[in-house]
Amino acid sequence: MIIDRLYGEVKNKGNVCVGLDTCLDYVPDNMMDRNASVEDILFEFNKRVIDATIDIVPCYKVQIAFYEAYGLKGMSAYKKTLEYIRNNGSIVIADIKRGDISSTAQMYAKAHFEGDFESDIITLNPYMGFDSIIPYLDYVEKKDKGLFILLRTSNGGAKDIQYLNVNGNEKLYNHVGDKLKEIALKYMGRCGYSSIGAVVGGTHLEEAEEIRNRLDNMFFLIPGYGAQGGKGSDVAHYLKNGNGGVVNSSRGIITAYKKYEDGIEKFDEYIRKAALNMKEDISSGSKVL
Amino acid sequence: MIIDRLYGEVKNKGNVCVGLDTCLDYVPDNMMDRNASVEDILFEFNKRVIDATIDIVPCYKVQIAFYEAYGLKGMSAYKKTLEYIRNNGSIVIADIKRGDISSTAQMYAKAHFEGDFESDIITLNPYMGFDSIIPYLDYVEKKDKGLFILLRTSNGGAKDIQYLNVNGNEKLYNHVGDKLKEIALKYMGRCGYSSIGAVVGGTHLEEAEEIRNRLDNMFFLIPGYGAQGGKGSDVAHYLKNGNGGVVNSSRGIITAYKKYEDGIEKFDEYIRKAALNMKEDISSGSKVL
């Protein structure tokens, strides 16, 4: 199952998920060949980042919005990026946050688990209810795919809906988490986690510990590190013996070269260094606990 | 503002929104040229449907999942479909149901309000909170774009989250609706509705009346007609004097030709007839109220 593969990769390479939220503003001038198309520029940038990190990170998260923004050429760069990651033996999480009625969800499942845009794991939005998750489960079972479902996101607005008190005095994200845990139990890997995981980040420390204990069978995709403010000692609370989650950083890694005068010449080195520093930061945070 | 245009179109042409959830299963054999690409087949089918209905419906809803499912070629058919609708003077709602943090939402806004995939109105998912809506508002103000935000969807699973009791004894979708109404008030058209509308469908009749009265400044995109079970007399409860909403039907219209022996020869006629029947059904329903 995909979750066993991811668990193994985390064990060997640490918890850093490199977020490929790639836009032209992030690409150094020397990679902006005037004759190249947007498609090639975005893909070549991603290729450089992947080549510089693939032996030290367990997976990549590709945020589809950044590619949709460049239209058909962007979608072509998206396709090439997913293929490159998968062909080189790593795992790709497609951050698509889709959520729709059953007949439409079937089409999204086909879109992102087959064909041009095939990925290993996708993110989903649960607002439309649990029947909007069902069409993907066949792929989890038969094609070794995985789902990370939005539970508690790392943005300020997360409080607007996810923190509402429901059923008397329970946080909505806990209520949703409990339901997802039930579904997750049907798709357990040998590693003790399910191929149905959750997107969880940005809570206070006590809440992080509570949610980690409560959803003990769910692997977490943890956003909010770096540019969004999270530290290694914070995110460690979402992990269990250093596994059970990957921590995403996008700008903090892929624009790391911008902080150095010789950043353009040593692009690959600085990208790799940023990923290694983050890996160490999370690992130290886990040891303190 | 886009909402004034949509209001005017509804006044002249009725409430039917044709849903272009187009997949190859819906295309009649005689349109499946063996040498044509998926891109051309999907687009030519849509073009036939649009040509058969553009003078009698106010708008089209294009469900992006169906095009994503065919990869890059599907996305190319999606682009062509949006362009064809807009170039022929009609209004297109891109049913994308996106929802993400601010920096990502900015990219989605660019993706769907500019460039290859430019549409007039998009659907959004509010689960991540109201800060996930903000990046789109600049386009509402400066580029005459509109938003329909998911509130109460027409699927069974809608009850899982949207119906939860929050703040003591209030339905979650009402709580979210009240917040959206506040945002909507800043983007009011001359017609009395805002360019920030809501996706609302599938409630019981009393709830439909309550939500119509409560969100009196919001235009509704109403799913669930036809294949999903809704009738004209039901959906009329979401309208106000026959305006203030459009009712989507996808399969009920675009596969209407399948019910007739001479469906393939008279494809355009039966598509048009289905749209006209639905228009009449809703109009009769409105008169009864």
Side-chain angles (χ1 to χ4, degrees):
Chain A
M1 291 179 83
I2 186 68
I3 202 64
D4 290 321
R5 257 186 79 203
L6 183 56
Y7 182 89
E9 288 287 301
V10 168
K11 204 171 166 187
N12 293 330
K13 299 177 183 170
N15 309 83
V16 175
C17 173
V18 177
L20 295 169
D21 301 12
T22 305
C23 64
L24 291 180
D25 293 347
Y26 298 168
V27 179
D29 290 344
N30 67 331
M31 288 189 209
M32 295 281 262
D33 182 340
R34 286 186 180 208
N35 299 315
S37 69
V38 172
E39 173 186 341
D40 291 335
I41 293 170
L42 295 175
F43 173 64
E44 289 301 324
F45 177 89
N46 287 348
K47 189 170 172 302
R48 286 280 289 273
V49 173
I50 296 161
D51 289 345
T53 52
I54 197 159
D55 59 321
I56 53 162
V57 303
C59 61
Y60 295 85
K61 181 172 85 63
V62 188
Q63 172 49 262
I64 197 171
F66 284 72
Y67 303 86
E68 284 185 31
Y70 295 103
L72 290 174
K73 286 179 180 161
M75 293 308 289
S76 187
Y78 177 77
K79 172 183 186 288
K80 284 185 181 174
T81 301
L82 300 192
E83 281 170 358
Y84 191 77
I85 296 167
R86 300 184 76 235
N87 289 341
N88 282 281
S90 191
I91 293 170
V92 65
I93 301 165
D95 196 0
I96 60 171
K97 296 188 178 70
R98 303 301 194 250
D100 216 307
I101 59 168
S102 170
S103 55
T104 302
Q106 272 167 30
M107 298 309 273
Y108 276 134
K110 181 169 144 72
H112 299 282
F113 284 151
E114 292 181 28
D116 280 352
F117 309 136
E118 182 171 355
S119 61
D120 299 303
I121 300 173
I122 59 173
T123 58
L124 293 179
N125 182 317
Y127 186 75
M128 291 184 67
F130 305 115
D131 60 2
S132 69
I133 309 292
I134 294 170
Y136 302 94
L137 297 176
D138 224 33
Y139 286 87
V140 172
E141 204 173 335
K142 294 178 189 152
K143 280 201 73 181
D144 262 350
K145 301 299 186 183
L147 309 174
F148 285 140
I149 298 158
L150 297 186
L151 207 54
R152 201 300 187 191
T153 55
S154 58
N155 59 318
K159 309 224 165 189
D160 295 335
I161 293 183
Q162 299 160 31
Y163 263 65
L164 289 174
N165 278 323
V166 301
N167 296 339
N169 195 25
E170 184 183 40
K171 290 203 176 71
L172 182 134
Y173 76 77
N174 275 327
H175 174 80
V176 174
D178 289 347
K179 297 282 180 186
L180 294 178
K181 180 179 177 171
E182 274 179 51
I183 302 175
L185 280 170
K186 296 179 195 148
Y187 304 92
M188 294 297 292
R190 291 185 309 277
C191 64
Y193 293 99
S194 171
S195 286
I196 316 292
V199 179
V200 180
T203 62
H204 299 293
L205 295 191
E206 297 142 45
E207 290 170 338
E209 280 169 19
E210 191 205 345
I211 203 168
R212 177 67 285 173
N213 291 329
R214 192 166 180 147
L215 306 179
D216 57 352
N217 65 330
M218 294 182 82
F219 199 95
F220 293 161
L221 169 61
I222 305 155
Y225 183 92
Q228 286 184 57
K231 292 174 207 156
S233 52
D234 297 337
V235 299
H237 292 264
Y238 298 102
L239 305 175
K240 210 158 56 177
N241 303 322
N243 209 317
V246 288
V247 184
N248 184 72
S249 175
S250 300
R251 276 165 291 169
I253 295 176
I254 69 177
T255 69
Y257 75 93
K258 287 194 176 186
K259 288 189 292 187
Y260 303 93
E261 261 190 44
D262 57 350
I264 291 181
E265 299 97 85
K266 297 186 178 172
F267 176 87
D268 318 80
E269 193 181 319
Y270 289 127
I271 298 283
R272 184 177 178 85
K273 195 173 151 187
L276 280 171
N277 286 347
M278 179 175 160
K279 177 178 168 174
E280 180 53 33
D281 182 33
I282 297 167
S283 159
S284 313
S286 298
K287 277 172 201 149
V288 171
L289 288 187
Chain B
M1 291 179 84
I2 186 70
I3 202 63
D4 290 319
R5 257 187 78 203
L6 183 55
Y7 181 90
E9 289 287 300
V10 168
K11 205 171 166 185
N12 293 331
K13 300 178 182 167
N15 309 84
V16 176
C17 173
V18 178
L20 295 168
D21 300 13
T22 305
C23 64
L24 291 180
D25 293 346
Y26 298 168
V27 180
D29 290 343
N30 67 333
M31 290 189 208
M32 294 281 262
D33 182 341
R34 285 185 181 212
N35 300 314
S37 69
V38 173
E39 172 185 342
D40 291 335
I41 293 170
L42 295 175
F43 173 64
E44 290 301 324
F45 177 88
N46 287 348
K47 189 170 172 301
R48 287 280 289 272
V49 173
I50 295 162
D51 289 345
T53 52
I54 197 160
D55 59 321
I56 54 163
V57 303
C59 60
Y60 296 85
K61 181 170 85 64
V62 188
Q63 172 49 264
I64 196 170
F66 284 72
Y67 304 86
E68 284 184 31
Y70 295 104
L72 289 174
K73 285 178 181 163
M75 292 309 289
S76 189
Y78 177 76
K79 172 183 187 288
K80 283 185 182 175
T81 301
L82 301 192
E83 281 170 357
Y84 190 76
I85 296 167
R86 300 183 75 233
N87 289 340
N88 283 281
S90 192
I91 293 170
V92 65
I93 301 165
D95 196 359
I96 59 172
K97 296 189 177 70
R98 302 301 194 251
D100 216 307
I101 59 168
S102 170
S103 55
T104 302
Q106 273 167 30
M107 298 309 273
Y108 276 133
K110 181 170 145 71
H112 299 283
F113 285 152
E114 293 181 29
D116 280 352
F117 308 136
E118 182 171 355
S119 61
D120 298 304
I121 300 172
I122 59 173
T123 57
L124 293 178
N125 181 318
Y127 186 75
M128 290 185 67
F130 305 114
D131 60 1
S132 70
I133 309 292
I134 292 171
Y136 302 94
L137 297 176
D138 224 33
Y139 286 86
V140 173
E141 203 171 335
K142 295 179 187 149
K143 281 201 74 183
D144 263 350
K145 300 299 185 186
L147 310 173
F148 285 140
I149 299 158
L150 297 187
L151 207 54
R152 201 299 186 192
T153 55
S154 58
N155 58 317
K159 309 225 164 188
D160 296 335
I161 293 183
Q162 299 160 31
Y163 263 67
L164 289 174
N165 277 324
V166 302
N167 297 338
N169 197 25
E170 184 183 39
K171 290 205 174 72
L172 183 134
Y173 75 77
N174 276 327
H175 174 79
V176 174
D178 290 346
K179 297 283 181 186
L180 294 179
K181 181 179 176 171
E182 274 178 51
I183 301 175
L185 280 170
K186 296 179 193 146
Y187 304 92
M188 295 296 293
R190 291 185 309 276
C191 64
Y193 293 99
S194 171
S195 286
I196 316 293
V199 179
V200 181
T203 62
H204 298 294
L205 296 190
E206 297 143 44
E207 290 170 336
E209 280 169 20
E210 191 205 345
I211 203 168
R212 176 68 285 174
N213 291 328
R214 192 166 180 147
L215 307 180
D216 57 352
N217 66 329
M218 294 183 82
F219 200 95
F220 293 161
L221 169 61
I222 305 154
Y225 183 93
Q228 287 184 57
K231 292 174 207 157
S233 51
D234 297 337
V235 300
H237 290 265
Y238 298 102
L239 305 175
K240 210 158 58 178
N241 304 321
N243 209 317
V246 289
V247 184
N248 184 73
S249 175
S250 300
R251 277 165 289 168
I253 295 177
I254 69 177
T255 68
Y257 74 93
K258 289 194 175 186
K259 288 189 291 186
Y260 303 93
E261 262 190 43
D262 57 351
I264 290 183
E265 300 98 82
K266 297 187 178 174
F267 176 87
D268 317 81
E269 194 180 318
Y270 288 126
I271 298 283
R272 185 178 178 87
K273 195 172 151 189
L276 280 170
N277 285 347
M278 178 175 161
K279 178 177 167 174
E280 180 53 33
D281 182 34
I282 298 167
S283 159
S284 314
S286 297
K287 277 172 201 147
V288 171
L289 288 188

